[in-house]
Amino acid sequence: MNRKKIVAANWKMNMTVAETVGFLENFRSLVDEVNGVEIVIAPPFTAIAKLSELLGGSQKIRLGAQNMSNEKSGAFTGEISATMLRELFVRYVILGHSERRQIFGESDVLVNKKVHTALASGLKPIVCVGETLEERDAGRENEVLEAQLRGSLAAVTAEQMADVVIAYEPVWAIGTGRTASPEQAQDAHAHVRTILGHLTNEATAAKVRIQYGGSVKPANAQILLSQPDIDGALVGGASLEPLPFAEIVKAGVPR
Ligand code: PEP
């Protein structure tokens, strides 16, 4: 199955508008010749409008958001709606990142509501799943992944699944410098795809892109992205500088 790789930057609570402008200036020239990989940048909300203006509908670099409300509009102080993101030509939205789950208490039920709101609004969700170290040490990683996928993707149809990207991010590998080995990551991705097959059907599951996230760097990107079920990367720390992020993107070029 020929799945176009998707490499996304999750800037988290980093990068001012001025820093975003500087980043893009450098990054654009670094990926000018790069083809065959979908690039996504998810800046903080405050930098989305500027980035949107600078990208001007670029086909090469797509705009993402790091979170979104499940509600459409109204009295939800501090929240951002899907419509607001769409107005700025945001295409992807990261949902259920482990930091949202752990620090802000987001449950699979809430993530599922957000997934449906995103899909109904024409946004493509990047749904994050992943086990903690404790869960892996107890040999429970597959069961945890299955529960998160079933919960977060409840009532998503096979047709809608075509617009969903999954990010497998073992919590113990995020921001820790500890990466899952290519074998561990491949095993988890294959398991995720099997579950997606149960939730929809095999043909649909074969089309869904599954990103790996967790301390991806230029030095490990190539081996991770060459695994058969790894279809891209969700990158935190190494996406804050143009050069390492561009190197990771290049690791996704079809060869
Ligand atoms: C992330 O937060 O999605 C992530 C993978 O972070 P890092 O690359 O810094 O581990």
Side-chain angles (χ1 to χ4, degrees), residues 3-28:
R3 295 178 294 263
K4 188 176 187 177
K5 297 250 193 306
I6 173 167
V7 177
N10 172 14
W11 283 354
K12 312 192 184 191
M13 199 171 70
N14 297 294
M15 304 292 258
T16 61
V17 174
E19 287 165 341
T20 300
V21 173
F23 177 99
L24 193 69
E25 227 170 73
N26 284 315
F27 181 69
R28 269 198 146 148

PDB file of all heavy atoms in Angstrom, residues 3-28:
ATOM      1  N   ARG A   3       1.281   4.690   0.903  1.00  0.00           N
ATOM      2  CA  ARG A   3       0.762   5.776   1.744  1.00  0.00           C
ATOM      3  C   ARG A   3       1.772   6.914   1.752  1.00  0.00           C
ATOM      4  O   ARG A   3       2.940   6.691   2.073  1.00  0.00           O
ATOM      5  CB  ARG A   3       0.505   5.284   3.184  1.00  0.00           C
ATOM      6  CG  ARG A   3      -0.594   4.227   3.285  1.00  0.00           C
ATOM      7  CD  ARG A   3      -0.743   3.753   4.722  1.00  0.00           C
ATOM      8  NE  ARG A   3       0.424   3.047   5.192  1.00  0.00           N
ATOM      9  CZ  ARG A   3       0.557   1.709   5.205  1.00  0.00           C
ATOM     10  NH1 ARG A   3      -0.414   0.935   4.785  1.00  0.00           N
ATOM     11  NH2 ARG A   3       1.671   1.153   5.653  1.00  0.00           N
ATOM     12  N   LYS A   4       1.317   8.118   1.416  1.00  0.00           N
ATOM     13  CA  LYS A   4       2.230   9.271   1.414  1.00  0.00           C
ATOM     14  C   LYS A   4       2.619   9.594   2.849  1.00  0.00           C
ATOM     15  O   LYS A   4       1.745   9.731   3.717  1.00  0.00           O
ATOM     16  CB  LYS A   4       1.522  10.470   0.778  1.00  0.00           C
ATOM     17  CG  LYS A   4       2.433  11.651   0.547  1.00  0.00           C
ATOM     18  CD  LYS A   4       1.674  12.758  -0.178  1.00  0.00           C
ATOM     19  CE  LYS A   4       2.601  13.889  -0.580  1.00  0.00           C
ATOM     20  NZ  LYS A   4       1.921  14.931  -1.334  1.00  0.00           N
ATOM     21  N   LYS A   5       3.906   9.713   3.103  1.00  0.00           N
ATOM     22  CA  LYS A   5       4.357   9.980   4.473  1.00  0.00           C
ATOM     23  C   LYS A   5       3.935  11.386   4.908  1.00  0.00           C
ATOM     24  O   LYS A   5       3.866  12.310   4.095  1.00  0.00           O
ATOM     25  CB  LYS A   5       5.879   9.848   4.558  1.00  0.00           C
ATOM     26  CG  LYS A   5       6.376   8.433   4.245  1.00  0.00           C
ATOM     27  CD  LYS A   5       6.910   7.773   5.482  1.00  0.00           C
ATOM     28  CE  LYS A   5       7.700   6.509   5.262  1.00  0.00           C
ATOM     29  NZ  LYS A   5       7.092   5.437   4.501  1.00  0.00           N
ATOM     30  N   ILE A   6       3.651  11.514   6.182  1.00  0.00           N
ATOM     31  CA  ILE A   6       3.238  12.801   6.738  1.00  0.00           C
ATOM     32  C   ILE A   6       4.104  13.104   7.966  1.00  0.00           C
ATOM     33  O   ILE A   6       4.120  12.333   8.919  1.00  0.00           O
ATOM     34  CB  ILE A   6       1.716  12.823   7.033  1.00  0.00           C
ATOM     35  CG1 ILE A   6       1.320  14.105   7.765  1.00  0.00           C
ATOM     36  CG2 ILE A   6       1.242  11.595   7.813  1.00  0.00           C
ATOM     37  CD1 ILE A   6      -0.183  14.356   7.818  1.00  0.00           C
ATOM     38  N   VAL A   7       4.840  14.198   7.877  1.00  0.00           N
ATOM     39  CA  VAL A   7       5.743  14.584   8.971  1.00  0.00           C
ATOM     40  C   VAL A   7       5.229  15.903   9.552  1.00  0.00           C
ATOM     41  O   VAL A   7       5.094  16.901   8.831  1.00  0.00           O
ATOM     42  CB  VAL A   7       7.195  14.727   8.470  1.00  0.00           C
ATOM     43  CG1 VAL A   7       8.113  15.191   9.596  1.00  0.00           C
ATOM     44  CG2 VAL A   7       7.699  13.382   7.905  1.00  0.00           C
ATOM     45  N   ALA A   8       4.893  15.879  10.829  1.00  0.00           N
ATOM     46  CA  ALA A   8       4.258  17.049  11.448  1.00  0.00           C
ATOM     47  C   ALA A   8       5.076  17.587  12.608  1.00  0.00           C
ATOM     48  O   ALA A   8       5.646  16.828  13.392  1.00  0.00           O
ATOM     49  CB  ALA A   8       2.848  16.673  11.926  1.00  0.00           C
ATOM     50  N   ALA A   9       5.119  18.921  12.687  1.00  0.00           N
ATOM     51  CA  ALA A   9       5.800  19.599  13.793  1.00  0.00           C
ATOM     52  C   ALA A   9       4.756  19.970  14.841  1.00  0.00           C
ATOM     53  O   ALA A   9       3.759  20.616  14.515  1.00  0.00           O
ATOM     54  CB  ALA A   9       6.472  20.872  13.277  1.00  0.00           C
ATOM     55  N   ASN A  10       4.986  19.539  16.061  1.00  0.00           N
ATOM     56  CA  ASN A  10       4.141  19.972  17.175  1.00  0.00           C
ATOM     57  C   ASN A  10       4.989  20.903  18.020  1.00  0.00           C
ATOM     58  O   ASN A  10       5.849  20.457  18.769  1.00  0.00           O
ATOM     59  CB  ASN A  10       3.699  18.743  17.994  1.00  0.00           C
ATOM     60  CG  ASN A  10       2.974  19.144  19.272  1.00  0.00           C
ATOM     61  OD1 ASN A  10       2.571  20.301  19.429  1.00  0.00           O
ATOM     62  ND2 ASN A  10       2.813  18.201  20.189  1.00  0.00           N
ATOM     63  N   TRP A  11       4.743  22.205  17.873  1.00  0.00           N
ATOM     64  CA  TRP A  11       5.592  23.179  18.564  1.00  0.00           C
ATOM     65  C   TRP A  11       5.218  23.344  20.034  1.00  0.00           C
ATOM     66  O   TRP A  11       5.902  24.031  20.771  1.00  0.00           O
ATOM     67  CB  TRP A  11       5.523  24.526  17.836  1.00  0.00           C
ATOM     68  CG  TRP A  11       6.357  24.555  16.580  1.00  0.00           C
ATOM     69  CD1 TRP A  11       7.206  23.588  16.144  1.00  0.00           C
ATOM     70  CD2 TRP A  11       6.428  25.619  15.617  1.00  0.00           C
ATOM     71  NE1 TRP A  11       7.807  23.977  14.981  1.00  0.00           N
ATOM     72  CE2 TRP A  11       7.344  25.219  14.629  1.00  0.00           C
ATOM     73  CE3 TRP A  11       5.800  26.861  15.493  1.00  0.00           C
ATOM     74  CZ2 TRP A  11       7.655  26.025  13.530  1.00  0.00           C
ATOM     75  CZ3 TRP A  11       6.102  27.667  14.408  1.00  0.00           C
ATOM     76  CH2 TRP A  11       7.019  27.250  13.439  1.00  0.00           C
ATOM     77  N   LYS A  12       4.102  22.775  20.429  1.00  0.00           N
ATOM     78  CA  LYS A  12       3.655  22.891  21.836  1.00  0.00           C
ATOM     79  C   LYS A  12       3.608  24.371  22.238  1.00  0.00           C
ATOM     80  O   LYS A  12       3.291  25.211  21.411  1.00  0.00           O
ATOM     81  CB  LYS A  12       4.556  22.067  22.749  1.00  0.00           C
ATOM     82  CG  LYS A  12       4.793  20.649  22.237  1.00  0.00           C
ATOM     83  CD  LYS A  12       5.419  19.758  23.237  1.00  0.00           C
ATOM     84  CE  LYS A  12       5.696  18.408  22.602  1.00  0.00           C
ATOM     85  NZ  LYS A  12       6.071  17.384  23.545  1.00  0.00           N
ATOM     86  N   MET A  13       3.968  24.711  23.495  1.00  0.00           N
ATOM     87  CA  MET A  13       3.879  26.114  23.914  1.00  0.00           C
ATOM     88  C   MET A  13       5.231  26.797  23.688  1.00  0.00           C
ATOM     89  O   MET A  13       5.872  27.304  24.615  1.00  0.00           O
ATOM     90  CB  MET A  13       3.443  26.211  25.382  1.00  0.00           C
ATOM     91  CG  MET A  13       2.893  27.595  25.743  1.00  0.00           C
ATOM     92  SD  MET A  13       2.141  27.653  27.367  1.00  0.00           S
ATOM     93  CE  MET A  13       3.559  27.494  28.434  1.00  0.00           C
ATOM     94  N   ASN A  14       5.659  26.763  22.439  1.00  0.00           N
ATOM     95  CA  ASN A  14       6.926  27.383  22.029  1.00  0.00           C
ATOM     96  C   ASN A  14       6.656  28.180  20.760  1.00  0.00           C
ATOM     97  O   ASN A  14       5.713  27.891  20.042  1.00  0.00           O
ATOM     98  CB  ASN A  14       7.975  26.314  21.712  1.00  0.00           C
ATOM     99  CG  ASN A  14       8.319  25.466  22.919  1.00  0.00           C
ATOM    100  OD1 ASN A  14       8.888  25.953  23.894  1.00  0.00           O
ATOM    101  ND2 ASN A  14       7.940  24.198  22.873  1.00  0.00           N
ATOM    102  N   MET A  15       7.514  29.139  20.494  1.00  0.00           N
ATOM    103  CA  MET A  15       7.529  29.936  19.260  1.00  0.00           C
ATOM    104  C   MET A  15       6.541  31.114  19.306  1.00  0.00           C
ATOM    105  O   MET A  15       5.325  30.955  19.239  1.00  0.00           O
ATOM    106  CB  MET A  15       7.244  29.082  18.022  1.00  0.00           C
ATOM    107  CG  MET A  15       8.170  27.900  17.846  1.00  0.00           C
ATOM    108  SD  MET A  15       9.862  28.394  17.462  1.00  0.00           S
ATOM    109  CE  MET A  15       9.910  28.098  15.711  1.00  0.00           C
ATOM    110  N   THR A  16       7.113  32.294  19.369  1.00  0.00           N
ATOM    111  CA  THR A  16       6.332  33.521  19.236  1.00  0.00           C
ATOM    112  C   THR A  16       6.043  33.727  17.753  1.00  0.00           C
ATOM    113  O   THR A  16       6.560  32.989  16.900  1.00  0.00           O
ATOM    114  CB  THR A  16       7.156  34.728  19.734  1.00  0.00           C
ATOM    115  OG1 THR A  16       8.331  34.820  18.904  1.00  0.00           O
ATOM    116  CG2 THR A  16       7.564  34.574  21.198  1.00  0.00           C
ATOM    117  N   VAL A  17       5.272  34.772  17.449  1.00  0.00           N
ATOM    118  CA  VAL A  17       4.997  35.075  16.035  1.00  0.00           C
ATOM    119  C   VAL A  17       6.313  35.422  15.330  1.00  0.00           C
ATOM    120  O   VAL A  17       6.589  34.939  14.226  1.00  0.00           O
ATOM    121  CB  VAL A  17       3.970  36.225  15.919  1.00  0.00           C
ATOM    122  CG1 VAL A  17       3.801  36.644  14.463  1.00  0.00           C
ATOM    123  CG2 VAL A  17       2.628  35.809  16.510  1.00  0.00           C
ATOM    124  N   ALA A  18       7.138  36.236  15.981  1.00  0.00           N
ATOM    125  CA  ALA A  18       8.416  36.633  15.361  1.00  0.00           C
ATOM    126  C   ALA A  18       9.289  35.399  15.098  1.00  0.00           C
ATOM    127  O   ALA A  18       9.907  35.281  14.029  1.00  0.00           O
ATOM    128  CB  ALA A  18       9.149  37.619  16.269  1.00  0.00           C
ATOM    129  N   GLU A  19       9.329  34.484  16.051  1.00  0.00           N
ATOM    130  CA  GLU A  19      10.140  33.271  15.859  1.00  0.00           C
ATOM    131  C   GLU A  19       9.574  32.395  14.736  1.00  0.00           C
ATOM    132  O   GLU A  19      10.319  31.750  13.993  1.00  0.00           O
ATOM    133  CB  GLU A  19      10.204  32.469  17.172  1.00  0.00           C
ATOM    134  CG  GLU A  19      11.102  33.128  18.212  1.00  0.00           C
ATOM    135  CD  GLU A  19      10.912  32.568  19.625  1.00  0.00           C
ATOM    136  OE1 GLU A  19       9.861  31.938  19.901  1.00  0.00           O
ATOM    137  OE2 GLU A  19      11.789  32.796  20.458  1.00  0.00           O
ATOM    138  N   THR A  20       8.265  32.388  14.622  1.00  0.00           N
ATOM    139  CA  THR A  20       7.613  31.607  13.567  1.00  0.00           C
ATOM    140  C   THR A  20       8.007  32.140  12.187  1.00  0.00           C
ATOM    141  O   THR A  20       8.316  31.369  11.275  1.00  0.00           O
ATOM    142  CB  THR A  20       6.073  31.677  13.743  1.00  0.00           C
ATOM    143  OG1 THR A  20       5.748  31.139  15.022  1.00  0.00           O
ATOM    144  CG2 THR A  20       5.339  30.927  12.663  1.00  0.00           C
ATOM    145  N   VAL A  21       8.015  33.457  12.058  1.00  0.00           N
ATOM    146  CA  VAL A  21       8.375  34.083  10.781  1.00  0.00           C
ATOM    147  C   VAL A  21       9.814  33.704  10.412  1.00  0.00           C
ATOM    148  O   VAL A  21      10.100  33.300   9.280  1.00  0.00           O
ATOM    149  CB  VAL A  21       8.218  35.625  10.869  1.00  0.00           C
ATOM    150  CG1 VAL A  21       8.745  36.306   9.616  1.00  0.00           C
ATOM    151  CG2 VAL A  21       6.755  35.994  11.116  1.00  0.00           C
ATOM    152  N   GLY A  22      10.708  33.789  11.394  1.00  0.00           N
ATOM    153  CA  GLY A  22      12.117  33.447  11.162  1.00  0.00           C
ATOM    154  C   GLY A  22      12.277  31.987  10.775  1.00  0.00           C
ATOM    155  O   GLY A  22      13.024  31.641   9.849  1.00  0.00           O
ATOM    156  N   PHE A  23      11.548  31.118  11.472  1.00  0.00           N
ATOM    157  CA  PHE A  23      11.615  29.677  11.193  1.00  0.00           C
ATOM    158  C   PHE A  23      11.215  29.409   9.739  1.00  0.00           C
ATOM    159  O   PHE A  23      11.920  28.726   9.002  1.00  0.00           O
ATOM    160  CB  PHE A  23      10.671  28.915  12.144  1.00  0.00           C
ATOM    161  CG  PHE A  23      10.618  27.431  11.888  1.00  0.00           C
ATOM    162  CD1 PHE A  23      11.357  26.553  12.672  1.00  0.00           C
ATOM    163  CD2 PHE A  23       9.830  26.889  10.873  1.00  0.00           C
ATOM    164  CE1 PHE A  23      11.326  25.176  12.439  1.00  0.00           C
ATOM    165  CE2 PHE A  23       9.796  25.531  10.627  1.00  0.00           C
ATOM    166  CZ  PHE A  23      10.536  24.667  11.424  1.00  0.00           C
ATOM    167  N   LEU A  24      10.071  29.971   9.350  1.00  0.00           N
ATOM    168  CA  LEU A  24       9.538  29.641   8.023  1.00  0.00           C
ATOM    169  C   LEU A  24      10.473  30.098   6.905  1.00  0.00           C
ATOM    170  O   LEU A  24      10.665  29.388   5.911  1.00  0.00           O
ATOM    171  CB  LEU A  24       8.136  30.236   7.838  1.00  0.00           C
ATOM    172  CG  LEU A  24       7.419  29.676   6.615  1.00  0.00           C
ATOM    173  CD1 LEU A  24       7.061  28.203   6.820  1.00  0.00           C
ATOM    174  CD2 LEU A  24       6.174  30.463   6.266  1.00  0.00           C
ATOM    175  N   GLU A  25      11.048  31.279   7.110  1.00  0.00           N
ATOM    176  CA  GLU A  25      11.975  31.810   6.113  1.00  0.00           C
ATOM    177  C   GLU A  25      13.093  30.798   5.824  1.00  0.00           C
ATOM    178  O   GLU A  25      13.398  30.501   4.678  1.00  0.00           O
ATOM    179  CB  GLU A  25      12.604  33.083   6.685  1.00  0.00           C
ATOM    180  CG  GLU A  25      12.605  34.252   5.727  1.00  0.00           C
ATOM    181  CD  GLU A  25      13.018  35.494   6.473  1.00  0.00           C
ATOM    182  OE1 GLU A  25      14.227  35.613   6.796  1.00  0.00           O
ATOM    183  OE2 GLU A  25      12.115  36.312   6.762  1.00  0.00           O
ATOM    184  N   ASN A  26      13.682  30.254   6.898  1.00  0.00           N
ATOM    185  CA  ASN A  26      14.767  29.286   6.736  1.00  0.00           C
ATOM    186  C   ASN A  26      14.267  27.938   6.250  1.00  0.00           C
ATOM    187  O   ASN A  26      14.839  27.319   5.361  1.00  0.00           O
ATOM    188  CB  ASN A  26      15.487  29.063   8.079  1.00  0.00           C
ATOM    189  CG  ASN A  26      16.381  30.224   8.401  1.00  0.00           C
ATOM    190  OD1 ASN A  26      17.103  30.708   7.545  1.00  0.00           O
ATOM    191  ND2 ASN A  26      16.318  30.701   9.626  1.00  0.00           N
ATOM    192  N   PHE A  27      13.192  27.479   6.875  1.00  0.00           N
ATOM    193  CA  PHE A  27      12.699  26.126   6.607  1.00  0.00           C
ATOM    194  C   PHE A  27      12.278  25.962   5.153  1.00  0.00           C
ATOM    195  O   PHE A  27      12.570  24.950   4.517  1.00  0.00           O
ATOM    196  CB  PHE A  27      11.542  25.817   7.568  1.00  0.00           C
ATOM    197  CG  PHE A  27      10.982  24.433   7.398  1.00  0.00           C
ATOM    198  CD1 PHE A  27      11.731  23.322   7.750  1.00  0.00           C
ATOM    199  CD2 PHE A  27       9.699  24.241   6.888  1.00  0.00           C
ATOM    200  CE1 PHE A  27      11.223  22.031   7.584  1.00  0.00           C
ATOM    201  CE2 PHE A  27       9.184  22.964   6.723  1.00  0.00           C
ATOM    202  CZ  PHE A  27       9.948  21.861   7.070  1.00  0.00           C
ATOM    203  N   ARG A  28      11.589  26.983   4.640  1.00  0.00           N
ATOM    204  CA  ARG A  28      11.087  26.896   3.255  1.00  0.00           C
ATOM    205  C   ARG A  28      12.193  26.595   2.264  1.00  0.00           C
ATOM    206  O   ARG A  28      12.044  25.744   1.386  1.00  0.00           O
ATOM    207  CB  ARG A  28      10.440  28.221   2.864  1.00  0.00           C
ATOM    208  CG  ARG A  28       8.984  28.230   3.168  1.00  0.00           C
ATOM    209  CD  ARG A  28       8.314  29.316   2.388  1.00  0.00           C
ATOM    210  NE  ARG A  28       6.989  28.898   2.029  1.00  0.00           N
ATOM    211  CZ  ARG A  28       5.970  29.733   1.903  1.00  0.00           C
ATOM    212  NH1 ARG A  28       6.127  31.014   2.093  1.00  0.00           N
ATOM    213  NH2 ARG A  28       4.787  29.275   1.578  1.00  0.00           N
TER     214      ARG A  28
END
